[in-house]
Amino acid sequence: MGLSRLAALHGVATSYSPSPDVTVSVPDDTVIAVLAALGVDAGTPADVRKCLVAAESRSRLLPPTVVVWAGEPLPPALSGLPPGSTVTVEPEPPETPGRPSGRPPAPLSMRARAAAPAPPVPPPGASAPPVPPPGVAAVPVVPPGASVAPVPPPGDAVGASAPLAMPPGGAATASAPAVTPPAGAATASTPAVPPPPGTSTAFAPASAAHPQRADGEPGAPAAVPAWWIPPAPGVHRVHVRTPDHRRATATLVVAPARVPQPPERSHGFLVQLYSLLSARSWGMGDLGDLADLAAWSGRTLGSGFVQVNPLHAAVQGSPTDPSPYRPSSRRFPDPVHLHVESIPEYGHVRDRAALDDLRQDAAALSEAVLNKGALIDRDAVWELKRQALELVVEVPLTPGRRAAYCDFLAEQGQALEDHALWCALAEVHGPDWHAWPEALRDPRSAGTARARTELLDRVDFHCRLAWLTASQLAAAQRAAEDAGMSVGIVHDLAVGVHPAGADTWAQQEAFAHGMSVGAPPDAFNARGQDWGLPPWRPDVLAATGYAAYRGLLRGLLAHAGALRIDHVMGLFRLWWVPEGRPPTDGTYVAQDAEAMLAVLVLEAHRAGTVVVGEDLGTVEPGVREALARRGVLGTSVLWFERDWDGDGRPLAPEKWRRDCLATATTHDLPSTAARLTGDHVTLRHRLGLLTRSLEEELTEDAAGTAEWLALLARLRMLPEGDGDEEAAVRAVHRFLLRTPARMTGVWLPDTVGDRRPQNLPGTWDQYPNWRLPIADAEGHPVTLEEITASPRLHALMDVLRSRKPHTAPPGERRP
């Protein structure tokens, strides 16, 4: 009982439910190991009792993180403070991270009053809201882009407040999502037990003062106490002192209610960038190819976006991990994606002969991939580009370019310096920092400081590459915007990082050592999954004001039109697997979902970017509702959209959710052609991945496909009839367009009939994951130039592209 209570205090589950009628107990050894990774010693009953006493004796006045949403009631942790409490908000500096700080903003000081009852809800159709009772200030509903500058009553507060910007469309709905708060989350009164480290005020219950209308838009204005001075959006520190001299300090996240939304319905391509080779590529797709695809599809097809795989920096060494979802760092991009010839200094390299030799070698790599059946060799590509970049960086920067580079260094600050130093040290000592000399394993040691000085040129080289890559990322987004795309480039955020990479070295205290993220057993994988990615510690994130998380988001959002978050359920909880144990012996660890969402919304709002969550697979009840409330779009894949609460048949298009990216497939799933023909089943059979006979699998798969084709036929989306694979692919996308989804994604390999998946989960050496170029229906690789000229592509995109009316509207016809 004591271990369970201690685990609950720290957000560690002692049981989980893979299905509504099944509960699985977590082994005590797992719970003890996970608590140890969180800095809690529960090895013996005495240790458990000692830690329980320590945890329950901590101040219960404030949780570690308090979240305030624009236009919504204050959380109970603030609204329920004892009357007379002094609340001081220490605002975050407004300057760009990495730049020298000027005069810090003045703290906001206020005194809590007794809570007043909420104002009544105006009846439908009422012309004006009723006057709020004394002591309660009504937050006005403001038009998009407007702001509110509250004026505190005399004597209630001291200090100035920056206006609180409201998100487009006003405040979000305030109906509470059906999410169970983490164990120990604060309530309106003082909680019986302290919240787990890193837990905020969680999901507050719906307020009658802020109901949700049937159409999902906000209802009556929210009410906040008159004593509250809304700080500017940001991550601040809040200090509380009660009349009985209790004190508490917490992280205060003030966020807009929702992330920006797509300005219009749109369609776009989904592509793994490395697989998109053009005639000028150096053996794999690059940022020049991405910009070209965006410019062409935006101008020619009216596309609104291009979504790519994570472009995070990979672990150095050869062979490196080809998966873009297991990077060295999520904070900085990988220079292997650079289009070398687009770098301004490239044209001024003196050793032209060396560059010509490298280009010829690169052309040979591309020729082998496109015409000789070779796989994409990222390591070989990087070796050629590295040699070329060594020559490029010898060219002096012009004064303007030098100034831009210095600005970049200042903006990125310590994070970039640490990343570049890890890269330089990895060149000398290998890519796994755990095997480095002991003094170098600590990024803040004296030995590391000496190495930083000794490797100054190499550190600058890797800083320069980060700058050049960021510049080309920005150019790709500009190309998308110039082509008229409403969203632009959709970047991808991986779930985690490689345990030996730059992020785990530079931010060691933020990661749970000896743990790996994965997934519990389910109907598709009875053994569970271990992804080999160390998780962040929720308590450390909260204690540091989510600095690592914010830096990560800012780096990704800087040059993005939208951000896709892989396994977005990880914002709520993650499956931790102790090192050396099977995934079945893992358990869920709760994140502070409210805080993680608030920081995400804050940074996305500042960058003006859309957010798409990959919410496929096992999703905890209430998660999708919580994400939707904050404007985070979901992901809906056609083959999985069935009436699971009813007859299980394919879901009619009008019943799909509106706030999602709708698509026929993803990088982890079969292509549409392979799904329609059953090729994906025979592929898995050849690799020994089936748990039943081939006949049984094919029969079940064919039955499911037939149900979808029958629906498409009933909806008259398949005029060509049965037996035409290309027509069926077009019909699938007609169906997607019929749904209300805000964004419709087209898997680029589908446009040319590619039957091979880019990644086959459950395989390693058995299948060439992450190394295949886009190919046509016969399996022959095709270039970007061939893709854009493909009649099959244009026939498919005719289904999606907007058409101008053939007849002019009345009043505009020529006589």
Side-chain angles (χ1 to χ4, degrees), residues 282 338-352 354-355 358-359 384-398 401-402 460-461 464-465 467-468 472:
W282 285 38
L338 280 168
H339 181 242
V340 180
E341 293 95 324
S342 293
I343 300 172
E345 289 74 36
Y346 178 87
H348 300 279
V349 171
R350 292 184 177 180
D351 193 348
R352 306 307 299 181
L355 279 184
L358 291 171
R359 290 180 62 181
L384 294 179
K385 288 191 176 183
R386 184 193 61 76
Q387 293 180 50
L389 292 167
E390 298 277 5
L391 298 172
V392 168
V393 299
E394 290 178 1
V395 177
L397 295 173
T398 65
R401 295 270 292 165
R402 170 62 62 181
D460 182 68
F461 173 72
R464 181 86 69 92
L465 297 192
W467 172 57
L468 294 174
Q472 291 195 4

Side-chain angles (χ1 to χ4, degrees), residues 2 26 37 73 76 146 148 163 171 256 284 287 305 308 359 363 385 396 416 475 488 536 561 574 609 766 775 788 798:
V26 175
V148 177
M284 62 181 281
L287 291 172
F305 63 91
V308 294
R359 290 180 62 181
K385 288 191 176 183
L416 175 59
W536 269 333
L574 282 169
T609 51
Q766 309 98 306
T788 60
D798 278 341

Side-chain angles (χ1 to χ4, degrees), residues 146-182:
S147 62
V148 177
V151 180
D156 262 34
V158 178
S161 169
L164 180 59
M166 300 294 290
T173 60
S175 58
V179 174
T180 302

Side-chain angles (χ1 to χ4, degrees), residues 603-621:
E603 296 300 339
H605 194 272
R606 285 176 166 173
T609 51
V610 176
V611 178
V612 179
E614 187 267 301
D615 54 353
L616 304 174
T618 302
V619 184
E620 187 182 9

Side-chain angles (χ1 to χ4, degrees), residues 185-205:
T187 59
S189 60
T190 301
V193 294
T199 301
S200 72
T201 50
F203 299 103

Side-chain angles (χ1 to χ4, degrees), residues 187-584:
T187 59
S189 60
T190 301
V193 294
T199 301
S200 72
T201 50
F203 299 103
S207 168
H210 194 80
Q212 180 179 358
R213 297 188 335 212
D215 60 4
E217 293 301 315
V224 296
W227 59 264
W228 175 251
I229 305 174
V235 178
H236 316 297
R237 296 295 288 171
V238 59
H239 309 276
V240 171
R241 185 182 65 198
T242 65
D244 60 356
H245 305 296
R246 288 185 296 155
R247 295 174 182 268
T249 297
T251 295
L252 174 67
V253 183
V254 181
R258 289 166 65 83
V259 299
Q261 298 297 289
E264 60 185 9
R265 289 193 68 192
S266 61
H267 64 79
F269 289 125
L270 318 178
V271 62
Q272 299 284 289
L273 182 56
Y274 59 83
S275 70
L276 182 67
L277 281 75
S278 69
R280 64 182 188 179
S281 299
W282 285 38
M284 62 181 281
D286 57 41
L287 291 172
D289 299 323
L290 175 59
D292 210 33
L293 175 65
W296 170 79
S297 61
R299 296 177 188 278
T300 306
L301 305 176
S303 298
F305 63 91
V306 174
Q307 178 182 301
V308 294
N309 55 284
L311 304 182
H312 309 319
V315 174
Q316 293 190 21
S318 181
T320 191
D321 191 332
S323 172
Y325 291 90
R326 202 163 179 250
S328 168
S329 172
R330 296 186 293 174
R331 177 64 181 81
F332 295 99
D334 197 319
V336 75
H337 299 113
L338 280 168
H339 181 242
V340 180
E341 293 95 324
S342 293
I343 300 172
E345 289 74 36
Y346 178 87
H348 300 279
V349 171
R350 292 184 177 180
D351 193 348
R352 306 307 299 181
L355 279 184
D356 289 342
D357 288 344
L358 291 171
R359 290 180 62 181
Q360 288 180 8
D361 291 342
L365 281 179
S366 290
E367 171 68 15
V369 171
L370 293 172
N371 296 310
K372 297 181 180 179
L375 299 174
I376 292 171
D377 188 341
R378 182 202 174 279
D379 294 336
V381 172
W382 172 237
E383 179 56 29
L384 294 179
K385 288 191 176 183
R386 184 193 61 76
Q387 293 180 50
L389 292 167
E390 298 277 5
L391 298 172
V392 168
V393 299
E394 290 178 1
V395 177
L397 295 173
T398 65
R401 295 270 292 165
R402 170 62 62 181
Y405 178 45
C406 290
D407 278 353
F408 179 79
L409 293 175
E411 289 166 2
Q412 303 305 317
Q414 185 71 51
L416 175 59
E417 188 173 335
D418 286 344
H419 174 73
L421 179 57
W422 179 90
C423 293
L425 288 169
E427 291 176 337
V428 178
H429 301 287
D432 186 352
W433 61 268
H434 299 91
W436 292 355
E438 187 171 354
L440 301 180
R441 297 175 200 169
D442 180 358
R444 305 292 171 250
S445 73
T448 300
R450 286 192 297 272
R452 192 186 308 265
T453 301
E454 294 166 358
L455 298 172
L456 193 59
D457 287 346
R458 298 308 299 169
V459 171
D460 182 68
F461 173 72
H462 291 289
C463 286
R464 181 86 69 92
L465 297 192
W467 172 57
L468 294 174
T469 312
S471 300
Q472 291 195 4
L473 287 170
Q477 177 63 13
R478 283 196 303 272
E481 293 171 348
D482 291 346
M485 286 190 165
S486 57
V487 174
I489 308 301
V490 183
H491 287 283
D492 200 349
L493 172 60
V495 178
V497 294
H498 197 286
D503 282 2
T504 58
W505 176 74
Q507 303 168 2
Q508 293 177 37
E509 68 286 347
F511 288 92
H513 299 289
M515 294 290 141
S516 176
V517 173
D522 55 30
F524 300 98
N525 195 325
R527 298 177 181 176
Q529 299 177 59
D530 183 345
W531 301 331
L533 309 170
W536 269 333
R537 285 181 52 168
D539 57 329
V540 174
L541 285 181
T544 56
Y546 300 89
Y549 181 42
R550 296 183 73 196
L552 166 62
L553 291 174
R554 286 181 174 180
L556 287 168
L557 296 172
H559 309 301
L563 178 65
R564 174 191 180 270
I565 301 179
D566 193 46
H567 191 70
V568 72
M569 297 81 76
L571 297 179
F572 296 77
R573 64 178 185 177
L574 282 169
W575 184 259
W576 288 23
V577 181
E579 191 176 66
R581 300 187 187 181
T584 50

